[in-house]
Amino acid sequence: MLTFDRNMIFRINEEDKKNVLMFLAEKLEKKGYVKHSYINAILKRESKYPTGIQAGKLGVAIPHTDAEHVIKNGIAVGILEKPVQFQRIDNPDVAINVNFIIMLALKQAHGQIDVLQNITNFIVQEKVIQNILNDNNLDHVYNIISKNL
């Protein structure tokens, strides 16, 4: 079961990918979802296996790492005020501008496929993601994401 806490949605005003990833990973750690090792693991994995996805006109990233760094399932959502460059998952030589991040903490490796499929189905709804990016009411954003995950 994937836990999605309303308090794990953040508007982030940061232009550096590493800082954004560290911010979200630290929030997951403070809430008890991940071990301290998760922070370095997420940075290392992102450098080897990028997670940027071009979803229509929007860039989305779904960073995650190995289950050994996770205490319990959860996600952190970052809505970026300014786009941050991520390498594409399907072509790491190409960078895209990302405005929306769903950071995963998954305890069971075999559960990643189902969760990633649900997220992929969600992020291709370009109009829905655009509404999230434009909505300053995080309760409303939480409701939209909850319905779709």
Side-chain angles (χ1 to χ4, degrees):
M1 175 91 182
L2 184 63
T3 302
F4 180 43
D5 181 346
R6 156 59 184 87
N7 295 315
M8 294 304 290
I9 304 172
F10 305 95
R11 288 207 163 271
I12 303 171
N13 190 5
E14 173 63 61
E15 296 180 51
D16 180 76
K17 175 174 70 174
K18 180 179 177 184
N19 290 344
V20 169
L21 291 172
M22 288 177 62
F23 175 87
L24 290 172
E26 287 170 358
K27 295 297 185 183
L28 284 167
E29 182 185 7
K30 284 180 184 172
K31 285 286 192 171
Y33 289 100
V34 300
K35 300 173 185 174
H36 184 68
S37 62
Y38 182 90
I39 296 169
N40 285 331
I42 205 92
L43 295 172
K44 186 176 180 181
R45 189 177 191 290
E46 187 67 33
S47 69
K48 288 184 179 180
Y49 305 104
T51 61
I53 299 170
Q54 191 70 49
K57 295 177 184 173
L58 301 173
V60 179
I62 310 171
H64 54 283
T65 195
D66 300 323
E68 68 190 71
H69 306 286
V70 178
I71 297 168
K72 62 183 180 179
N73 292 339
I75 64 173
V77 173
I79 301 166
L80 307 182
E81 300 294 335
K82 300 173 191 158
V84 172
Q85 292 220 321
F86 275 71
Q87 303 312 113
R88 283 181 65 133
I89 195 168
D90 60 345
N91 187 355
D93 294 331
V94 176
I96 60 170
N97 288 325
V98 166
N99 289 87
F100 188 64
I101 298 174
I102 300 174
M103 183 174 281
L104 300 175
L106 300 174
K107 186 75 177 142
Q108 298 82 16
H110 60 80
Q112 285 187 356
I113 294 172
D114 291 339
V115 171
L116 289 172
Q117 185 63 50
N118 286 345
I119 290 172
T120 301
N121 291 339
F122 170 54
I123 65 172
V124 296
Q125 299 176 60
E126 191 173 347
K127 186 175 179 181
V128 173
I129 301 300
Q130 192 62 58
N131 287 341
I132 288 171
L133 296 176
N134 294 332
D135 197 330
N136 288 322
N137 182 331
L138 294 183
D139 289 326
H140 188 240
V141 169
Y142 171 78
N143 290 332
I144 293 170
I145 296 171
S146 294
K147 285 182 201 171
N148 286 279
L149 289 185

Short mmCIF file of all heavy atoms in Angstrom, two decimals, residues 16-41:
data_model
loop_
_atom_site.label_atom_id
_atom_site.label_comp_id
_atom_site.label_asym_id
_atom_site.label_seq_id
_atom_site.Cartn_x
_atom_site.Cartn_y
_atom_site.Cartn_z
N ASP A 16 18.38 24.08 -8.75
CA ASP A 16 19.41 23.06 -8.83
C ASP A 16 18.81 21.68 -8.56
O ASP A 16 18.17 21.47 -7.52
CB ASP A 16 20.51 23.36 -7.80
CG ASP A 16 21.61 22.33 -7.83
OD1 ASP A 16 22.42 22.38 -8.77
OD2 ASP A 16 21.64 21.48 -6.91
N LYS A 17 18.99 20.77 -9.49
CA LYS A 17 18.40 19.43 -9.39
C LYS A 17 18.82 18.73 -8.10
O LYS A 17 17.98 18.16 -7.40
CB LYS A 17 18.77 18.59 -10.60
CG LYS A 17 18.28 17.16 -10.51
CD LYS A 17 18.51 16.37 -11.77
CE LYS A 17 19.96 16.08 -11.99
NZ LYS A 17 20.20 15.19 -13.14
N LYS A 18 20.10 18.77 -7.78
CA LYS A 18 20.58 18.09 -6.57
C LYS A 18 19.88 18.64 -5.33
O LYS A 18 19.46 17.87 -4.47
CB LYS A 18 22.10 18.25 -6.45
CG LYS A 18 22.67 17.57 -5.24
CD LYS A 18 24.19 17.75 -5.16
CE LYS A 18 24.73 17.11 -3.89
NZ LYS A 18 26.16 17.31 -3.72
N ASN A 19 19.75 19.94 -5.24
CA ASN A 19 19.09 20.55 -4.08
C ASN A 19 17.61 20.16 -4.00
O ASN A 19 17.09 19.93 -2.91
CB ASN A 19 19.24 22.06 -4.11
CG ASN A 19 20.66 22.51 -3.84
OD1 ASN A 19 21.49 21.75 -3.35
ND2 ASN A 19 20.96 23.75 -4.18
N VAL A 20 16.94 20.08 -5.14
CA VAL A 20 15.53 19.67 -5.16
C VAL A 20 15.41 18.22 -4.68
O VAL A 20 14.56 17.90 -3.84
CB VAL A 20 14.93 19.84 -6.57
CG1 VAL A 20 13.56 19.18 -6.67
CG2 VAL A 20 14.83 21.31 -6.94
N LEU A 21 16.26 17.35 -5.21
CA LEU A 21 16.22 15.94 -4.82
C LEU A 21 16.52 15.78 -3.32
O LEU A 21 15.85 15.01 -2.63
CB LEU A 21 17.20 15.12 -5.65
CG LEU A 21 16.83 14.96 -7.13
CD1 LEU A 21 17.97 14.31 -7.90
CD2 LEU A 21 15.54 14.18 -7.30
N MET A 22 17.52 16.50 -2.84
CA MET A 22 17.87 16.43 -1.43
C MET A 22 16.73 16.94 -0.55
O MET A 22 16.42 16.36 0.49
CB MET A 22 19.16 17.20 -1.15
CG MET A 22 20.39 16.50 -1.68
SD MET A 22 21.92 17.43 -1.45
CE MET A 22 22.00 17.54 0.33
N PHE A 23 16.09 18.03 -0.97
CA PHE A 23 14.97 18.59 -0.22
C PHE A 23 13.87 17.54 -0.04
O PHE A 23 13.39 17.30 1.08
CB PHE A 23 14.43 19.83 -0.94
CG PHE A 23 13.20 20.42 -0.31
CD1 PHE A 23 13.30 21.35 0.71
CD2 PHE A 23 11.93 20.04 -0.74
CE1 PHE A 23 12.16 21.89 1.30
CE2 PHE A 23 10.79 20.58 -0.16
CZ PHE A 23 10.91 21.51 0.86
N LEU A 24 13.44 16.93 -1.14
CA LEU A 24 12.35 15.95 -1.07
C LEU A 24 12.77 14.71 -0.28
O LEU A 24 11.99 14.19 0.53
CB LEU A 24 11.89 15.57 -2.48
CG LEU A 24 11.14 16.67 -3.24
CD1 LEU A 24 10.91 16.25 -4.68
CD2 LEU A 24 9.83 17.02 -2.56
N ALA A 25 14.00 14.24 -0.50
CA ALA A 25 14.49 13.07 0.23
C ALA A 25 14.56 13.34 1.73
O ALA A 25 14.20 12.48 2.55
CB ALA A 25 15.86 12.65 -0.32
N GLU A 26 14.99 14.54 2.10
CA GLU A 26 15.06 14.90 3.52
C GLU A 26 13.66 14.96 4.15
O GLU A 26 13.47 14.57 5.31
CB GLU A 26 15.79 16.23 3.70
CG GLU A 26 17.29 16.10 3.47
CD GLU A 26 18.03 17.44 3.39
OE1 GLU A 26 17.39 18.51 3.46
OE2 GLU A 26 19.26 17.39 3.23
N LYS A 27 12.68 15.41 3.38
CA LYS A 27 11.31 15.44 3.89
C LYS A 27 10.80 14.02 4.13
O LYS A 27 10.16 13.74 5.14
CB LYS A 27 10.37 16.17 2.92
CG LYS A 27 10.68 17.65 2.76
CD LYS A 27 10.49 18.41 4.06
CE LYS A 27 10.68 19.90 3.86
NZ LYS A 27 10.58 20.66 5.09
N LEU A 28 11.12 13.10 3.20
CA LEU A 28 10.73 11.70 3.39
C LEU A 28 11.42 11.11 4.63
O LEU A 28 10.81 10.36 5.38
CB LEU A 28 11.08 10.87 2.14
CG LEU A 28 10.15 11.05 0.94
CD1 LEU A 28 10.76 10.44 -0.30
CD2 LEU A 28 8.77 10.44 1.22
N GLU A 29 12.68 11.47 4.82
CA GLU A 29 13.41 10.96 5.99
C GLU A 29 12.81 11.50 7.29
O GLU A 29 12.59 10.75 8.25
CB GLU A 29 14.89 11.34 5.90
CG GLU A 29 15.69 10.79 7.08
CD GLU A 29 17.14 11.24 7.11
OE1 GLU A 29 17.55 12.10 6.30
OE2 GLU A 29 17.87 10.72 7.97
N LYS A 30 12.53 12.79 7.33
CA LYS A 30 11.98 13.40 8.56
C LYS A 30 10.62 12.80 8.94
O LYS A 30 10.28 12.73 10.12
CB LYS A 30 11.84 14.91 8.38
CG LYS A 30 13.17 15.64 8.48
CD LYS A 30 13.00 17.13 8.31
CE LYS A 30 14.36 17.81 8.31
NZ LYS A 30 14.30 19.23 7.97
N LYS A 31 9.85 12.37 7.95
CA LYS A 31 8.54 11.77 8.21
C LYS A 31 8.63 10.27 8.46
O LYS A 31 7.62 9.60 8.66
CB LYS A 31 7.59 12.02 7.03
CG LYS A 31 7.07 13.44 6.96
CD LYS A 31 6.03 13.65 8.03
CE LYS A 31 5.30 14.95 7.79
NZ LYS A 31 4.16 15.10 8.66
N GLY A 32 9.84 9.71 8.43
CA GLY A 32 10.03 8.31 8.77
C GLY A 32 9.79 7.32 7.64
O GLY A 32 9.66 6.12 7.89
N TYR A 33 9.73 7.80 6.41
CA TYR A 33 9.53 6.91 5.27
C TYR A 33 10.82 6.22 4.83
O TYR A 33 10.78 5.10 4.32
CB TYR A 33 8.95 7.67 4.07
CG TYR A 33 7.53 8.10 4.25
CD1 TYR A 33 7.21 9.41 4.61
CD2 TYR A 33 6.48 7.21 4.07
CE1 TYR A 33 5.90 9.82 4.78
CE2 TYR A 33 5.16 7.61 4.24
CZ TYR A 33 4.88 8.91 4.60
OH TYR A 33 3.58 9.30 4.77
N VAL A 34 11.94 6.92 4.98
CA VAL A 34 13.20 6.40 4.45
C VAL A 34 14.33 6.52 5.47
O VAL A 34 14.26 7.32 6.41
CB VAL A 34 13.61 7.12 3.14
CG1 VAL A 34 12.55 6.94 2.06
CG2 VAL A 34 13.89 8.60 3.38
N LYS A 35 15.36 5.72 5.25
CA LYS A 35 16.57 5.78 6.06
C LYS A 35 17.42 6.96 5.59
O LYS A 35 17.24 7.47 4.48
CB LYS A 35 17.36 4.48 5.90
CG LYS A 35 16.59 3.25 6.33
CD LYS A 35 17.37 2.00 5.98
CE LYS A 35 16.53 0.76 6.29
NZ LYS A 35 17.19 -0.47 5.84
N HIS A 36 18.38 7.34 6.42
CA HIS A 36 19.29 8.44 6.05
C HIS A 36 20.05 8.11 4.75
O HIS A 36 20.36 9.01 3.97
CB HIS A 36 20.25 8.74 7.19
CG HIS A 36 21.13 9.92 6.92
ND1 HIS A 36 20.64 11.21 6.84
CD2 HIS A 36 22.47 9.99 6.67
CE1 HIS A 36 21.64 12.03 6.56
NE2 HIS A 36 22.75 11.33 6.46
N SER A 37 20.31 6.86 4.50
CA SER A 37 21.04 6.43 3.29
C SER A 37 20.27 6.73 2.00
O SER A 37 20.86 6.76 0.92
CB SER A 37 21.36 4.94 3.37
OG SER A 37 20.16 4.17 3.41
N TYR A 38 18.98 6.96 2.11
CA TYR A 38 18.13 7.21 0.94
C TYR A 38 18.61 8.45 0.17
O TYR A 38 18.60 8.46 -1.07
CB TYR A 38 16.68 7.40 1.39
CG TYR A 38 15.68 7.63 0.29
CD1 TYR A 38 15.03 6.56 -0.32
CD2 TYR A 38 15.33 8.91 -0.12
CE1 TYR A 38 14.10 6.76 -1.32
CE2 TYR A 38 14.40 9.13 -1.11
CZ TYR A 38 13.78 8.05 -1.71
OH TYR A 38 12.85 8.26 -2.70
N ILE A 39 19.02 9.47 0.88
CA ILE A 39 19.40 10.74 0.24
C ILE A 39 20.54 10.52 -0.75
O ILE A 39 20.43 10.89 -1.92
CB ILE A 39 19.77 11.80 1.30
CG1 ILE A 39 18.53 12.12 2.15
CG2 ILE A 39 20.31 13.07 0.63
CD1 ILE A 39 18.82 12.95 3.39
N ASN A 40 21.63 9.90 -0.31
CA ASN A 40 22.75 9.65 -1.23
C ASN A 40 22.37 8.63 -2.30
O ASN A 40 22.82 8.75 -3.45
CB ASN A 40 23.99 9.18 -0.46
CG ASN A 40 24.66 10.33 0.25
OD1 ASN A 40 24.59 11.47 -0.17
ND2 ASN A 40 25.29 10.02 1.37
N ALA A 41 21.55 7.65 -1.94
CA ALA A 41 21.14 6.63 -2.91
C ALA A 41 20.32 7.25 -4.04
O ALA A 41 20.48 6.88 -5.20
CB ALA A 41 20.36 5.53 -2.21
#
